[in-house]
Amino acid sequence: MRPEQLSYHIKYSYILSVRSYDPFELQKLQALLKSGSAVAELAAAGEKLLADQAAAGVGAAATKAHLQEVFQYALWGNKTDLSMLVDASKLDVNASVKSAAQGAGAAGALILDQFEDVWAGLESKAAGGRVDVILDNAGLELYTDLLLADFLIESGLADQVHLHGKLLPWFVSDTMEKDLEIVLAALEGAAPPEGMQARRLDLFLASSRRPAPPLSAAQVQQQQWGPVQRLAQRWRGHLAAGRWVYKDHAFWTTPFPFWWMQQVSPDLYADLAASKLLIFKGDLNYRQAHMPTPANASLHDAGACVTGVSPSLKLAFDCRWPLDAPFTDALGPFRPAPLVTLRTLKADVMAGLAPGQGAALDKVDSQWQVNGKFGVVQYAP
Ligand SMILES: O=P(O)(O)OC[C@H]1O[C@](O)(CO)[C@@H](O)[C@@H]1O
């Protein structure tokens, strides 16, 4: 075994040994408990969307419109993460979807929307097959990602959805395997505060053996909770039948940029290549996909990427692309399958905008690259 392989093996073994430990468990619990009304509202919207889908038959126009809607849920769900928006009760995903549709304004907007290309890519392929979602934050964002994964299955666009989580809470609220179970268990219980709180606390106490901390939860009417429980039941079915497959490869929690995946984790790269669409969630996944390292410039030339914009070691590997650099340049050699990123911008790594668009956005909101109010649906075939 070569020294670098040995070091990777040691890190991997360590990660596996601590995979159940999550110092942010309590904060994740609190954020989900407060999101009860958003959860109920989205379940009702999702249920209506599936009923409309069933009524419209398998018509491409209806499926396209409905997919676009669940894409928006998953995109704006990315506003929630414990590093920025701790109290998810303040997030109104539906309001974000509406304000985004009205164009760039101070409240935030979708600044790049390549959904049409995503749809064209999907349409060019046979129905069914596999779609992958590379997850980001647990709690409300995970819930919106599961709404998307559910629609992919129920509409027949995919036979299988592979969900990629993390072995560690790397950027605080990252989804781990137990977070999927916690969300499902919380949805299955009675309406919050009672149901959700009781189920979540049971799980928390079982894993931490600490006394129950005081937590506050949203108040939701029992009748509003019916759609949520029905969702949870169907989602359990997806997991049991293998329509949903949860995975957590160690590569996702190493410092390696995705540019290196094929060399560092060829098994993961080959696995992703079997997908017809990779959906990357969130800001960190976007940054990772755009992080060629200057230390190995001979492996892949970083081209127009400017490095060293931050004093921290982690960020020193980030690249400040010209905002109008082609997205495919920024992805470098990482092209296992067609991919789309659903991301609200929280860090100044961005490529693929139109010339002059960055300057125009500066006038709307000087913090547009980092405040999480602006979103992109960005596609590479
Ligand atoms: O949860 P997300 O969307 O990946 O966001 C993570 C981002 O949040 C921050 O921690 C703070 O903005 C960034 O450094 C990081 O890129």
Side-chain angles (χ1 to χ4, degrees), residues 78 81 83-84 136-137 171 282-285 287 346-347:
N78 179 240
D81 81 70
S83 68
M84 289 200 82
D136 190 12
N137 299 295
F171 264 56
D283 194 73
L284 185 63
N285 278 326
R287 286 172 52 184
K346 301 168 192 168

Side-chain angles (χ1 to χ4, degrees), residues 264-324:
V264 175
S265 298
D267 57 328
L268 177 60
Y269 195 90
D271 180 36
L272 296 179
S275 182
K276 70 175 183 182
L277 180 67
L278 307 173
I279 302 173
F280 282 89
K281 286 301 313 294
D283 194 73
L284 185 63
N285 278 326
Y286 192 94
R287 286 172 52 184
Q288 284 277 51
H290 295 71
M291 286 202 305
T293 166
N296 202 355
S298 61
L299 187 59
H300 296 297
D301 182 8
C305 172
V306 179
T307 56
V309 296
S310 153
S312 89
L313 178 65
K314 174 79 178 69
L315 290 176
F317 281 359
D318 265 299
C319 291
R320 193 173 277 167
W321 294 91
L323 295 173
D324 56 358

Side-chain angles (χ1 to χ4, degrees), residues 164-181:
H164 298 262
K166 302 228 170 30
L167 288 168
L168 298 168
W170 204 33
F171 264 56
V172 185
S173 39
D174 293 315
T175 297
M176 298 163 71
E177 187 170 15
K178 49 96 189 164
D179 293 317
L180 178 59
E181 173 54 36

